Amino acid sequence: MERHGTRRSRPQELVPGTCTVLSLRMDYQPEGANPDTILASSDKAYISRYALGRDYHKLMRNRLAKLAKRIEQELGGGQYRAFVDSAPVLERAIAERAGLGWIAKNTMLINEKAGSWFFLGEIYTDIPFPADPPKSDKHCGSCSACLEVCPTQAFVGPFVLDARRCISYLTIEHPGSIDESLRPLMGNRIYGCDDCQLVCPWNKFAQS
């Protein structure tokens, strides 16, 4: 975070000339075994749903590149650069500003028609496209299921996540040994954790 400085919050510093960010989503909820069944099976290992398919970085980046090419051909010019979890980009904040959904109590982005089982990608461009209205309302209401279900109690409060206790961080990005006090709480989750999404009522609208 410190290394990238303000490039994360100022797109024109990351890609000079940027005046518009196109924010896009790609649904990823897989078909197959019920997550609760796997979590309850001591002889199985749980892998986060997003990691069960092909490498989303390549898949979505290729699709964004094709979209950028079509826009370039249609407009006869412009500069475009696509990102998929590959640069200092505040993707959820950008998506909320673009109207794709709201940042929920579990810090995930939720779309009222698609839940939260989706990837986000961005195209930075110097073309001044008209902006969509931002999502100004959050529709979590009084629900706190995501905060209460977290196995390691990683939520300090609504909208605040302590990454040092988050199983997704611990099993994917944490560079050292996992704190011994947290290990028993992790169950059979070996790569990521979906608990705060599995209990979210909005994910009844998610598509495979």
Side-chain angles (χ1 to χ4, degrees), residues 19 42 45-46 49 80 125 143 157 193:
C19 66
S42 60
Y46 187 85
R49 307 293 86 183
Y80 306 89
T125 179
C143 180
C193 176

Side-chain angles (χ1 to χ4, degrees), residues 96-108:
E96 188 176 51
R97 289 286 298 274
L100 286 189
W102 70 93
I103 298 176
K105 291 179 181 179
N106 63 357
T107 74
M108 303 294 289

Side-chain angles (χ1 to χ4, degrees), residues 16-172:
T18 296
C19 66
T20 302
V21 178
L22 306 179
S23 179
L24 305 102
R25 82 164 208 260
M26 184 177 77
D27 298 345
Y28 71 76
Q29 181 177 230
E31 297 177 347
N34 186 305
D36 293 329
T37 301
I38 299 173
L39 287 168
S41 303
S42 60
D43 62 335
K44 297 182 183 297
Y46 187 85
I47 295 175
S48 186
R49 307 293 86 183
Y50 86 86
L52 296 181
R54 294 165 55 193
D55 185 340
Y56 73 94
H57 301 89
K58 296 178 181 178
L59 182 64
M60 192 169 189
R61 192 161 50 238
N62 287 340
R63 292 183 178 183
L64 293 181
K66 290 180 181 178
L67 175 59
K69 190 67 175 178
R70 288 181 61 182
I71 297 173
E72 182 182 12
Q73 291 172 347
E74 185 73 22
L75 298 180
Q79 299 296 317
Y80 306 89
R81 186 169 175 188
F83 297 108
V84 182
D85 196 22
S86 56
V89 175
L90 290 173
E91 57 182 15
R92 295 179 195 180
I94 288 173
E96 188 176 51
R97 289 286 298 274
L100 286 189
W102 70 93
I103 298 176
K105 291 179 181 179
N106 63 357
T107 74
M108 303 294 289
L109 189 84
I110 294 181
N111 179 282
E112 63 268 27
K113 296 180 180 179
S116 62
W117 300 104
F118 53 80
F119 299 118
L120 291 171
E122 300 77 33
I123 297 175
Y124 282 33
T125 179
D126 59 356
I127 299 296
F129 288 105
D132 288 307
K135 181 69 72 173
S136 57
D137 297 326
K138 297 182 184 293
H139 300 284
C140 294
S142 61
C143 180
S144 59
C146 59
L147 310 181
E148 297 165 1
V149 76
C150 180
T152 56
Q153 297 181 312
F155 291 103
V156 178
F159 313 105
V160 183
L161 174 70
D162 183 349
R164 297 168 299 180
R165 299 183 65 86
C166 177
I167 294 175
S168 285
Y169 171 74
L170 293 172
T171 57
I172 299 174

Side-chain angles (χ1 to χ4, degrees), residues 168-189:
S168 285
Y169 171 74
L170 293 172
T171 57
I172 299 174
E173 298 179 2
H174 182 52
S177 299
I178 296 175
D179 189 296
E180 291 188 17
S181 66
L182 296 176
R183 296 178 193 177
L185 306 176
M186 295 169 60
N188 61 349
R189 301 168 184 82

